[in-house]
């Protein structure tokens, strides 16, 4: 039977981890809630930027002596290795924590094994609480990166109800609503990198920055990545001083993602045009689709997706819908590709 207090604490830990998503890479954005012996919340913490303390240490510092005899509820199994910081397992034992409840097990072989270390020290450990919610939430990209060594890629696009990304004359401002565009800027502020192809940069001249509705830059900006061999004017907006930009030659999605992994990039938002999106799908490098479908009919114009390695209906990319919600007048769909 689930402990409702621990379940509520895990949801609070998820919320804490969401607040730091995009600031911790290549480390995971973990959240932790410390409950006192009576079940009351005595400390809340989330992972700080690389080199800073992990979520458990932040929460334990907030709790102080009130943590002794209590429970730590954490979104990821506490680490048992020494990296830039000491093991979180040591901090939990030293603080007198008697019970640890975690959601996801750590797939990183260098850091895993924390549960066993804690049990050996006499701490009761329970795993798997709200694991699915955590795996689909702030830890999604990092868990993928830890398991595969490749950054997690979300393909974001906006299209008309009949699947067009622009009108017949090439105009595309604005298919989606102001509400959807504002949401996309908030998404950009929580990922490590925003990626587009040279064709999109030349045709649309996007900033690829994260901005508020009034146009002001948000506090956190993603790395801007331009992929392709076509020449891009030095005056392109993607090269302004609002954020760092890197250019990656060639059109191989896996090579581009490998280069980004070496830079510590874990979470990528793909915003390229239909050809680049198709190339990433064909290379099996799309891990999530985030679609904004507007109640607009165009009848002609470029499709949202280009060639994607589909020659017949049997080869179609089948998706599992995770969530369908409204974004202003638009329908926002989050889906993940099924095995093919």
């Amino acid at each position: 039977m689930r402990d409702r207090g621990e379940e509520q604490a895990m949801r609070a830990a998820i919320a804490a981890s969401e607040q730091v998503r995009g600031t911790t890479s290549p480390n995971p954005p973990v959240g932790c809630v410390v409950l006192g012996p009576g079940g009351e919340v005595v400390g809340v913490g989330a992972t700080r930027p690389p080199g800073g303390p992990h979520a458990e240490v932040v929460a334990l510092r907030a709790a102080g002596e009130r943590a002794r005899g209590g429970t730590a509820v954490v979104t990821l199994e506490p680490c048992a290795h020494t990296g830039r910081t000491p093991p979180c397992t040591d901090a939990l034992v030293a603080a007198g924590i008697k019970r640890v409840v975690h959601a996801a097990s750590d797939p990183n072989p260098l850091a895993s094994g924390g549960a066993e270390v804690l049990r050996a020290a006499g701490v009761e450990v329970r795993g798997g609480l709200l694991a699915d919610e955590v795996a689909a939430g702030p830890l999604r990209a990092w868990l993928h990166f830890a398991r595969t060594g490749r950054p997690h890629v979300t393909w974001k696009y906006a299209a008309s109800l009949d699947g067009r990304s622009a009108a017949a004359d090439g105009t595309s401002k604005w298919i989606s609503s102001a509400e959807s565009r504002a949401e996309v800027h908030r998404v950009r502020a929580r990922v490590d990198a925003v990626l587009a192809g040279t064709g999109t940069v030349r045709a649309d001249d996007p900033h690829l920055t994260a901005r508020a509705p009034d146009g002001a830059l948000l506090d956190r900006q993603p790395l801007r990545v331009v992929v392709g061999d076509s020449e891009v004017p030095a005056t392109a907006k993607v090269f302004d001083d609002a954020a760092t930009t890197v250019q990656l030659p060639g059109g191989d999605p896996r090579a581009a993602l490998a280069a980004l992994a070496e830079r510590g990039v874990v979470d990528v938002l793909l915003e390229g045009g239909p050809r680049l999106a198709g190339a990433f799908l064909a290379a099996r490098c799309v891990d999530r689709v985030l679609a904004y479908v507007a109640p607009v009919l165009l009848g002609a114009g470029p499709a949202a997706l280009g060639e994607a390695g589909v020659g017949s209906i049997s080869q179609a990319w089948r998706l599992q819908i995770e969530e369908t919600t409204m974004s202003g007048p638009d329908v926002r769909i989050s889906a993940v590709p099924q095995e093919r």
Side-chain angles (χ1 to χ4, degrees):
M1 179 181 294
R2 284 183 174 178
D3 183 300
R4 296 188 66 181
E6 291 179 355
E7 186 169 320
Q8 290 176 347
M10 184 63 78
R11 294 192 188 282
I14 294 172
S17 68
E18 178 63 35
Q19 293 300 311
V20 299
R21 185 156 64 95
T23 68
T24 65
S25 293
N27 296 330
V30 177
C32 178
V33 172
V34 176
L35 303 175
E40 71 282 7
V41 175
V42 295
V44 179
T47 303
R48 298 290 170 80
H54 292 186
E56 297 93 323
V57 173
V58 176
L60 289 171
R61 287 176 181 173
E65 282 300 312
R66 296 175 296 171
R68 193 160 298 278
T71 298
V73 180
V74 59
T75 58
L76 182 67
E77 177 187 8
C79 66
H81 82 300
T82 299
R84 294 185 182 182
T85 59
C88 291
T89 50
D90 289 358
L92 291 164
V93 172
I97 290 292
K98 295 301 182 184
R99 176 174 166 84
V100 170
V101 178
H102 66 85
S105 297
D106 195 331
N108 184 348
L110 295 177
S112 62
E116 289 79 5
V117 170
L118 290 168
R119 289 190 182 102
V123 178
E124 181 184 354
V125 180
R126 173 193 175 193
L129 179 61
L130 301 185
D132 289 344
E133 290 187 32
V134 168
L139 277 180
R140 180 204 297 259
W142 183 85
L143 288 170
H144 176 276
F145 184 79
R147 290 167 180 153
T148 68
R150 175 176 66 75
H152 180 277
V153 176
T154 295
W155 171 41
K156 186 279 299 179
Y157 73 93
S160 62
L161 197 58
D162 55 342
R164 307 291 179 176
S165 62
D169 65 355
T171 56
S172 60
K173 292 187 176 182
W174 294 103
I175 288 179
S176 60
S177 65
E179 292 89 343
S180 293
R181 298 195 299 275
E183 183 175 285
V184 168
H185 280 279
R186 293 193 293 272
V187 171
R188 286 180 180 177
R190 295 196 299 268
V191 299
D192 297 326
V194 176
L195 188 151
T198 53
T200 295
V201 171
R202 293 176 65 183
D204 298 339
D205 197 19
H207 286 282
L208 297 183
T209 50
R211 296 177 181 268
D214 63 1
L217 291 169
L218 297 180
D219 290 340
R220 186 181 181 279
Q221 295 296 320
L223 176 71
R224 298 180 293 188
V225 183
V226 180
V227 176
D229 292 324
S230 299
E231 185 176 352
V232 177
T235 57
K237 293 175 182 175
V238 77
F239 296 127
D240 63 22
D241 59 2
T244 302
T245 301
V246 297
Q247 284 187 270
L248 300 177
D252 181 354
R254 290 194 173 274
L257 293 174
L260 293 178
E262 291 180 0
R263 299 177 66 100
V265 170
V266 170
D267 199 0
V268 173
L269 186 66
L270 172 62
E271 292 203 39
R275 185 168 65 177
L276 188 64
F280 267 74
L281 266 173
R284 299 179 180 272
C285 290
V286 171
D287 306 297
R288 178 185 177 221
V289 177
L290 184 61
Y292 292 84
V293 181
V296 175
L297 297 174
L298 294 175
L305 181 63
E307 166 59 40
V310 177
S312 66
I313 194 66
S314 64
Q315 297 176 320
W317 291 100
R318 303 288 180 178
L319 305 178
Q320 178 181 341
I321 304 295
E322 293 184 314
E323 183 181 36
T324 302
T325 55
M326 299 301 296
S327 178
D330 305 330
V331 177
R332 181 185 66 236
I333 301 171
S334 176
V336 293
Q338 296 179 349
E339 288 297 323
R340 182 170 179 238

